[in-house]
């Protein structure tokens, strides 16, 4: 599942909920953007994760929210794997065996290499239970 598939799913679900006429992805984005500018959506730069999560779960089905979480999670894990490979390249001259181990570990978790994922495996519910609540947030 790609990020494009996730965004397309979100747009289609929004169109279904609002009885919008089927149209191009661009027209759906413009219509959704106009609706969200009415103050309904949290600020994308300053809203804490719990607020964004609450908005997504209130407005979209669980499978769409899970696909969104996986797109974000897979990107974060891919970046971590990339950083591990960079670290392995730095260590190559000092300790080639250690570099190979670090590189292999990066390949095991990298969702683009098919070794890991999906991240997360199941829907994360922020603010719903104590175990899933992030530190410093309110339930």
């Amino acid at each position: 599942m790609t990020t494009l598939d996730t965004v397309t799913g979100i747009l289609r679900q929004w169109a279904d909920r609002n009885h919008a006429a089927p149209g191009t992805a661009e027209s759906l984005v413009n219509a959704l953007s106009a609706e969200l500018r009415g103050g309904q959506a949290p600020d994308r730069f300053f809203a804490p994760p719990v607020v964004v999560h609450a908005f997504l779960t209130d407005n979209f089905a669980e499978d769409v929210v899970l696909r969104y979480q996986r797109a974000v999670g897979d990107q974060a894990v891919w970046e971590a794997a990339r950083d591990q490979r960079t670290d392995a390249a730095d260590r190559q001259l000092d300790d080639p065996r250690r570099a190979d181990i670090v590189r292999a570990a990066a390949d095991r978790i990298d969702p683009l290499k098919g070794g890991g994922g999906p991240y997360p495996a199941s829907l994360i519910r922020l603010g719903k239970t104590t175990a899933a609540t992030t530190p410093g947030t309110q339930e």
Side-chain angles (χ1 to χ4, degrees), residues 114-127:
Y119 301 103
S122 61
L123 187 66
I124 297 172
R125 299 175 194 283
L126 297 177

Side-chain angles (χ1 to χ4, degrees), residues 42-48 52:
D43 187 292
R44 70 180 215 182
F45 295 108
F46 301 108
V52 173

Side-chain angles (χ1 to χ4, degrees), residues 5-125:
D5 293 334
T6 301
V7 171
T8 303
I10 290 170
L11 289 173
R12 286 193 177 133
Q13 188 175 40
W14 176 85
D16 289 345
R17 279 189 170 189
N18 292 287
H19 307 290
T24 65
E26 184 178 345
S27 66
L28 290 174
V29 167
N30 290 338
L32 179 60
S33 177
E35 178 181 308
L36 294 180
R37 271 185 258 135
Q40 297 173 349
D43 187 292
R44 70 180 215 182
F45 295 108
F46 301 108
V50 171
V51 172
V52 173
H53 177 73
F55 173 77
L56 291 173
T57 54
D58 288 348
N59 291 291
F60 300 104
E62 273 190 19
D63 65 318
V64 175
V65 176
L66 179 59
R67 286 196 312 264
Y68 170 78
Q69 288 180 352
R70 284 182 176 168
V72 172
D74 285 348
Q75 180 67 28
V77 173
W78 173 80
E79 288 177 11
R82 182 191 62 197
D83 292 345
Q84 278 188 310
R85 287 189 193 94
T86 301
D87 183 52
D90 292 343
R91 295 175 186 262
Q92 187 65 41
L93 293 176
D94 297 334
D95 188 357
R97 186 172 177 273
R98 170 90 171 126
D100 290 341
I101 292 169
V102 170
R103 202 172 288 114
D107 290 344
R108 276 194 305 272
I109 66 167
D110 190 344
L112 296 180
K113 291 201 175 244
Y119 301 103
S122 61
L123 187 66
I124 297 172
R125 299 175 194 283

